[in-house]
Amino acid sequence: MQHCCINICYAEVEEAFAFMIKSYSIKILVFALGMGFLYSFSYGQTYYQFEGVVVDENNQPITGASVMVYAIKRGDVTDADGYFRIENLLESTHNVEVSFLGYETLVKEVSFKKNKKFKFQLKESSIKLEEVVVEDNYAEHKKRETSLNIDVVDDDYLKQNLGGSLMKSLERLAGVTTIDIGSGQSKPVIRGLGFNRVVVVENNIKHEAQQWGADHGLEIDQYAVDNIEVIKGPSSLMYGSDAIGGVVDMKNKSVPAENSFGGIIDLSGKTNNNFLGTSVSLFARKKHLFAIVRATLLDFGDYRVPTDSVDIYNFRVPLYKNHLRNTAGKEQNLHTSFGVIKDRFQSRFYVSNVNSKGGFFANAHGLEPRNVDHEEHDRSSRDILYPYHKANHFKVINRSSLWSENWELELDLGFQNNFREEWSVYTQHGYMPAVFPESLDFNPEIERQFDKDIYSANIKFLYRLSNKIELNTGINSEYMDNEIGGRGFIIPSFEQLNLGGYFVAKYNFSEKSLLQAGVRYDYGNINTAQYNDWFASPILENGDTTTYEYLQRSANLSRNFSNFSWSIGYNYNPDKWSYKFNIGKSFRMPIAKELAANGVNYHRFSYEVGNADLSPEISYQLDAGIEYESKKFGVGVSPFINYFSNYLYLNPTSRFDRLYGFGNQVFEYTESEVFRFGGEIHARYEITNYLQLGLIGEYVYAEQLSGEKKGFTLPFAPPASAIFNIKYHKPQLAFLTNTFVSLDYRLTATQNNIVPPEEPTDGFQVFNLGLGGDLLLKNQTIDISIQIQNLLNTKYFNHMSYYRLINVPEPSRNFVINVSIPFSVITNAN
Amino acid sequence: MKTLKLLSVIIGLSIILFSCGDDNEIDTEKPEIDITIPEAFPTSCNDTIYFGESFTIKFRLTDNIELGSYSIDIHHNFDHHSHSTEVMECNLNPKKTPENPYILIETYDIPIGKNEYITDLPITIPSSNTSGELYDEGDYHFNLSVTDQEGWTTQFGIGIKMMHR
């Protein structure tokens, strides 16, 4: 039944596709939106064309080089003679960026005054491979051409800040924190909002797993990710429901250069949990066809904390050699990407499988703190015993795009399967039999099982009406089917369909200012399935007669949601300054857990109950950004104010559950009005050409304005935090290139704004040291980066960690080393 | 100069915003369980509960504002799995496989408006299940949890013995 539904979505997508091909209909839409008057502004001006050639050091033309005029983001790719041409440019001065894989990117200021021909000469870069075109400049331009607050990080950043997990590596960004459980499992939190309030996108397809669960990380291979954009603030407009808090948008390696063949070997080690990681990738490209493959293997032991015992509520657990018992894990990932690239067409497949297994801290999993067999657990720090979880995420994505001078059409199709299991020793819950009956047909040691299929289709059409007006329209669709298994129950099986269409117009008043406005409509449907216990529980009737029943935990439920959202933003970028302003309405559909949860949370020893009547979450936000950038000095602040008319919130009640766990406290989903404000600050000062001082700070305040917890904050409120950084970098130091030494001093304030069952968390100060550079051995470059995290081995607690509730401090000092060995063979063209 | 001006405006604004935060008092105190009152029971692993008899659960519960409810849970510890808030070491019987262990999970309301409450709860433990099979003797856990109206919670758990007399 639901599968028919998918066909319908695809059909609708195709229809929309056909519709948009008729480009003149776009103009009608423009008038409909009242943009016509703006269009008329663009008449009466003189246009110039920008043309020329791109050559290498031997004056040989380079084919396929990208020439980009920034701020207006118009570009061309050089043809077989190295020739490019961009038409209809206004008289002005622009930054032009010329780039090609394997060559150093050239950025030049160019004045378009006459129809003059240009010649750009590119120098071969010492490393011939991975350098994706744009990096830093891209980040800068990306920031300037959108009214949202956005941070962009690249491969180098990820290597230099390699954390326990991909998300942990992003934590250094202002406004980004993570909710953790253990050393390798983190979920992104943007300005205090996480889980289903942050959308994670990989290669244009929304990553769907069991996002609501805090006990596992993202099933994404850190080594395969090359470029990440973090959008802070609601972005429902382009990314749909769930992007109410922000977006983490990741891209894999870009297309290799023509007639190239090469690869990269990454080796990583961490001392804290004896982590060993290796990732090898190979790439090849003929003229039009290319392929990339990658294999990653990670293996790590229990991680260490600077304490020899942990107080789980009132229960003291001794730790053997500071090891957090049974937190070892491993990961095996395979990826391949292949496709075809033509002058005006590109189609690329991404196929990946990410498989991980990780232990949970054995004493703190289940219905209550547990005394486990320490002798068995402490025998080896590398084995993974019960309780543990396994996750396998399979993904196939196709991205195809077709473009011309003034339009781009993109179709993204995706299929994902997420299979996740939690295994533990059979423990009776409530009135489950003390000994598991053999007559039942499932494995009693599977505590939970989720099997989710996700089908996605997005279509996007961009049209440049003139060099002042850019129109963007698209449709996102997604269908999910989630099956459950195992002895415990928390969420039911469900099916969910999301459909959304948007229209965004961007108007460049001038080189320096742009206005962006958009609207979106979403429709969603969720059907949850009935679930009854597999064991009977006693029901007391009239106080004395006891009957036994297979209790119903969740009912058949069908809910439809729809919403209209909008956003308007304005950018003004005079010279060194940049001002941004954005206001919008975002929304989020309630998820299955919020509507129909009914079970024990094994990490909090709580009993969680959904509410079938919840409405979609609505949020209004006002964002601003002011930035000053000069060669020596840069500073930026990005404040925000945010109001939720109904924040969906897991409220701790004063009641206990009698029928499932061991009399656990009941937490119930409810809605409350929430007001939040906060912001980030970042600053940089170049003392000398080589020495730089930096500051990154963040603050969020949240208060519930109504409901049972009126006056309280929201759970996992990030404390105010700042990083002071000093960095020394030198392009050439003895036999090393791109050398750097960087010291981070992180200062985090005490968090006293708490909700039950949290505890106030003391502030802390931590030092992290990083250093690295590229070593040139004969003709081989070796890129080395080293980090010492928690340099002084400070014992501190992180308010954002699930393990904070059971008094587990953050990891001890950790030496991290990452070595990258790129190699390449440029085959002779022609 | 322009930068300085701008910065001072931003800092000024933030101070105004930040300082208008905490003006309403919220309750962040957990309820308490007092096991030192006379006749408090059960409070140590020397306490034994007998099948087929009744005993009285007695504790003093307090909160700074208003108590919520409390829950009692008794389950077997034949696998020596879990916890105790006691300081003293308890002598456990050897591990064994449960055959017919006793289990009790019950929740009780505390009358509205109380910030102090002494439980005086008689509980009768049957000696056998509905089919007449005797419950297993040995090590059990006794857990008491109490909440206040805001949802703060405090637990008390100890090991006890349950025997047939």
Side-chain angles (χ1 to χ4, degrees), chain A residues 313-315 368-373 428 430-431 434-435 540 548 577 579 626 628 633 635 637 652-659 661-663 665 677 681 699 701 703 708-712 752-759, chain B residues 2-3 6-7 10 17-18 20-24 26-28 30 68-71 73 75-76 79-85 95 97-99 101 103-107 141 143 145-153 155-156:
Chain A
Y313 297 106
N314 297 311
F315 178 49
E368 54 179 351
R370 293 183 66 83
N371 192 6
V372 295
D373 188 339
Q428 71 185 115
Y431 292 92
V435 178
L540 287 169
Y548 280 82
W577 289 84
Y579 303 89
I626 304 161
Y628 174 85
F633 176 70
V635 64
V637 284
T653 69
S654 62
R655 303 194 312 278
F656 291 98
D657 162 64
R658 154 177 184 264
L659 291 168
F662 285 159
Q665 186 183 359
F677 68 81
I681 181 164
Y699 177 82
Y701 177 85
E703 186 176 329
E708 281 187 51
K709 290 293 177 290
K710 188 177 169 183
F712 280 86
N752 283 320
N753 273 335
I754 54 168
V755 281
E758 296 174 355
E759 299 267 355
Chain B
K2 214 171 163 190
T3 325
L6 180 77
L7 270 178
I10 292 158
L17 275 171
F18 287 23
C20 61
D22 272 3
D23 45 2
N24 44 347
I26 51 164
D27 173 22
T28 55
K30 292 181 175 183
S69 62
Y70 68 102
S71 88
D73 157 48
H75 59 266
H76 78 83
D79 56 354
H80 297 181
H81 68 264
S82 61
H83 65 137
S84 136
T85 48
K95 283 189 184 184
T97 307
E99 280 163 22
I103 183 161
L104 173 82
I105 306 163
E106 229 24 276
T107 66
H141 272 142
N143 288 301
S145 298
V146 58
T147 57
D148 68 7
Q149 286 298 334
E150 297 290 2
W152 294 105
T153 171
Q155 291 100 7
F156 171 72

Side-chain angles (χ1 to χ4, degrees), chain A residues 757-793:
Chain A
E758 296 174 355
E759 299 267 355
T761 305
D762 286 340
F764 59 87
Q765 303 169 40
V766 181
F767 289 92
N768 290 328
L769 182 72
L771 57 147
D774 301 339
L775 187 67
L776 196 66
L777 290 177
K778 291 186 182 161
N779 280 327
Q780 180 60 57
T781 303
I782 299 175
D783 179 357
I784 301 168
S785 52
I786 297 168
Q787 270 186 88
I788 308 170
Q789 295 164 344
N790 195 0
L791 189 65
L792 305 178
N793 205 22

Side-chain angles (χ1 to χ4, degrees), chain A residues 191 612 663:
Chain A
R191 290 174 163 172

